[in-house]
Amino acid sequence: MTLELNNAAPVFDMKDIYGRQINLEAYRGKKVFIGFFRHAGCPFCNLRVHKLTNMHQELKANGLEMIFFFESKEKILLRSTFHQEVSPIPLISDPEKEWYDAFGIEDSSKKSTVGHITSFARSAIQAKLKGLPMHLMADGESYGTMPAEFLLDENLIIRKLHYSQKLSDRLELEDLMEFARQKQMAV
């Protein structure tokens, strides 16, 4: 079941791959971007993480924190220099997909297949040119996981959400920056 706008986000409390305790409740009073990505070798997701990581300081300076989820096991993410360098952004491993389910993340082999057929080559070339990891699923990762992104206000209320219909379909970067720059709502 997907989440809806203007409702409270499910509150998680778990360790990220760097060993830090990440409790969503601790972000109250800040705006938050939460990204749910596929597996550690997904070029679509790694291109997105690369763009977001490059914008991290600017978004943070404008009041937006970020938290990333991957379905990959922690050991797979920690083998990747690219994913290790996402820090200081929390990167949470959720191979059991407990929080993917709580946030209504879709599993659709059909949509994933369409995405691979229509845009895999372009995304793979872009990822390779940037030196981003790209490999097949491993150790329980899913072919059909569809990405999703959420923007929460200072009260952890979902103000924007985007359940991807294609593997390269995400919130516009300009929308993230605009959300970050908006004045704070009453806490």
Side-chain angles (χ1 to χ4, degrees), residues 98-147:
E98 174 185 355
W99 293 103
Y100 281 70
D101 292 342
F103 277 78
I105 308 308
E106 181 179 14
D107 190 297
S108 173
S109 293
K110 180 181 177 184
K111 288 180 183 177
S112 179
T113 298
V114 170
H116 279 88
I117 290 170
T118 59
S119 56
F120 180 79
R122 183 180 68 243
S123 295
I125 290 167
Q126 289 175 347
K128 184 160 182 66
L129 290 173
K130 294 185 183 304
L132 304 178
M134 183 175 50
H135 53 78
L136 295 175
M137 287 75 57
D139 207 4
E141 297 167 334
S142 167
Y143 175 78
T145 301
M146 295 302 293

Side-chain angles (χ1 to χ4, degrees), residues 8 12 14 16 22 32 34 40 64-65 67 70 73 81 95 136 150 159-160 165 179:
F12 49 85
M14 53 196 314
D16 71 359
I22 306 300
V32 184
I34 300 176
L64 184 66
E65 299 288 337
I67 301 170
F70 270 84
K73 291 183 178 177
T81 304
L136 295 175
F150 303 84
R159 296 302 178 188
K160 286 186 186 267
Q165 298 303 306
F179 184 78

Side-chain angles (χ1 to χ4, degrees), residues 2-24:
T2 59
L3 300 181
E4 295 183 14
L5 287 175
N6 304 318
N7 287 325
V11 175
F12 49 85
D13 184 9
M14 53 196 314
K15 289 192 179 199
D16 71 359
I17 69 166
Y18 316 110
R20 301 175 297 203
Q21 196 67 37
I22 306 300
N23 182 337
L24 185 59

Side-chain angles (χ1 to χ4, degrees), residues 23-94:
N23 182 337
L24 185 59
E25 192 63 44
Y27 286 78
R28 190 171 291 281
K30 302 174 185 178
K31 293 180 206 161
V32 184
F33 167 91
I34 300 176
F36 283 87
F37 300 102
R38 301 177 71 225
H39 61 89
C42 173
F44 302 97
C45 295
N46 290 334
L47 283 167
R48 181 63 168 183
V49 168
H50 177 71
K51 287 176 186 171
L52 291 169
T53 302
N54 286 339
M55 293 179 65
H56 175 248
Q57 291 303 325
E58 185 178 7
L59 288 168
K60 187 173 176 82
N62 282 284
L64 184 66
E65 299 288 337
M66 292 192 284
I67 301 170
F68 298 162
F69 279 82
F70 270 84
E71 68 176 353
S72 301
K73 291 183 178 177
E74 184 175 308
K75 68 181 180 179
I76 293 172
L77 292 165
L78 287 171
R79 282 195 308 238
S80 165
T81 304
F82 168 72
H83 292 98
Q84 289 178 35
E85 292 174 354
V86 168
S87 185
I89 301 166
L91 199 160
I92 298 173
S93 167
D94 186 15

